[in-house]
Amino acid sequence: MRNLAIIPARSGSKGLKDKNIKLLNGKPLLAYTIEAAVKSSMFDEIMVSTDSRDYANIARTCGASVPFLRSNELSTDTASSWDVVKEVIEGYKNLGSEFDTVALLQPTSPLRTSNNIFEGYKVMKEKSANFVVGVCEMDHSPLWANTLPEDLSMENFIRPDIVGIPRQNISTYYRINGAIYIVRIDHLLKSNDIYNNKSFALVINKENSIDIDDQMDFDFAELLLKIRTQNIKLNTDL
């Protein structure tokens, strides 16, 4: 199979200014995803989809390709990631390059590893999957969550069927972590709902599932990366 990695890196982030190129432990945020994609050895092409020439130059310096910029129509904060993916697929087709699978790797998941990517493709092969999605265990069960009325009353907040049940006896819930989406291109282009028909989860640990949305997420990711780097150095010294 010919595999394409797409790393979406729109400029103009509102929540955290220039988030996708913000320096995280001395490297642009998107560099971590590019490096993981390269190290996985799973891709024939690693492409950063961006609307910014400055971002494109940074991406190329980090080892990715940017043969064309994202269209203005898909450079807004309301644009669908899958529309961006389809635009890239069509762009490469116009350049004479076609692929069998595409992996959407968001740069806001810098702790996702090359092994996570490799394992995603392993799931795709073993399950003959059309779609593989990264998930992680939720920190807290949604069964303990509810909406609140205006007066903040807690009456009927807890579902009666879980009252008194030990936490460890409650079913484990997972959430999509945004770190990895791998899909067969023919499935993506012909399906109205790519989650149906041979779609499987790739369970990733919570540490590798950090998704940067704001400054607190950024600071937490930076701390975890520092700890990871120190542990690697310690093991090397030993």
Side-chain angles (χ1 to χ4, degrees):
M1 292 192 301
R2 281 177 51 79
N3 304 324
L4 169 66
I6 299 176
I7 302 168
R10 182 181 66 87
S11 64
S13 171
K14 293 180 179 178
L16 191 59
K17 183 175 173 57
D18 287 325
K19 174 173 61 179
N20 290 318
I21 60 168
K22 185 176 174 66
L23 294 184
L24 179 67
N25 280 358
K27 291 192 295 189
L29 180 63
L30 59 78
Y32 291 90
T33 295
I34 295 172
E35 290 170 1
V38 171
K39 189 176 179 181
S40 75
S41 301
M42 294 305 304
F43 301 108
D44 298 275
E45 182 83 343
I46 299 168
M47 189 270 191
V48 168
S49 171
T50 183
D51 57 326
S52 165
R53 294 188 183 279
D54 290 338
Y55 280 33
N57 289 334
I58 292 170
R60 293 186 185 107
T61 300
C62 294
S65 298
V66 190
F68 46 84
L69 294 179
R70 189 185 302 187
S71 66
N72 290 332
E73 293 77 14
L74 295 180
S75 297
T76 66
D77 55 4
T78 59
S80 161
S81 294
W82 292 114
D83 285 339
V84 170
V85 168
K86 291 175 183 178
E87 178 183 69
V88 171
I89 291 170
E90 184 64 24
Y92 270 103
K93 187 175 181 180
N94 292 336
L95 294 175
S97 294
E98 297 192 49
F99 302 88
D100 301 294
T101 76
V102 59
L104 176 62
L105 305 173
Q106 299 187 127
T108 48
S109 299
L111 282 89
R112 168 235 301 105
T113 67
S114 58
N115 189 61
N116 293 146
I117 297 170
F118 178 83
E119 290 296 323
Y121 273 97
K122 185 178 178 182
V123 170
M124 175 162 277
K125 180 179 179 180
E126 291 179 349
K127 300 281 191 180
S128 297
N130 287 322
F131 188 33
V132 175
V133 185
V135 304
C136 66
E137 184 178 336
M138 295 186 68
D139 292 325
H140 304 286
S141 172
L143 297 179
W144 292 100
N146 207 333
T147 58
L148 281 171
E150 288 187 9
D151 67 356
L152 304 182
S153 170
M154 289 292 289
E155 185 175 352
N156 298 320
F157 185 88
I158 303 298
R159 290 173 39 167
D161 56 324
I162 65 168
V163 173
I165 298 178
R167 179 180 56 82
Q168 60 269 26
N169 291 347
I170 295 177
S171 298
T172 301
Y173 279 75
Y174 297 86
R175 64 173 177 83
I176 295 172
N177 64 5
I180 297 178
Y181 303 85
I182 305 172
V183 62
R184 293 184 186 274
I185 289 176
D186 58 351
H187 177 66
L188 173 65
L189 297 181
K190 71 183 181 184
S191 178
N192 292 325
D193 182 0
I194 58 175
Y195 284 85
N196 284 329
N197 188 13
K198 303 188 75 174
S199 172
F200 295 92
L202 170 70
V203 180
I204 298 174
N205 66 39
K206 287 189 285 186
E207 177 184 316
N208 291 8
S209 297
I210 298 298
D211 183 21
I212 295 177
D213 186 52
D214 55 27
Q215 186 63 49
M216 185 175 73
D217 297 333
F218 193 91
D219 293 342
F220 186 42
E222 194 161 50
L223 175 62
L224 290 175
L225 280 167
K226 287 178 180 177
I227 293 171
R228 180 180 289 180
T229 301
Q230 289 170 356
N231 288 340
I232 291 172
K233 184 178 184 303
L234 178 61
N235 291 333
T236 301
D237 291 342
L238 292 176

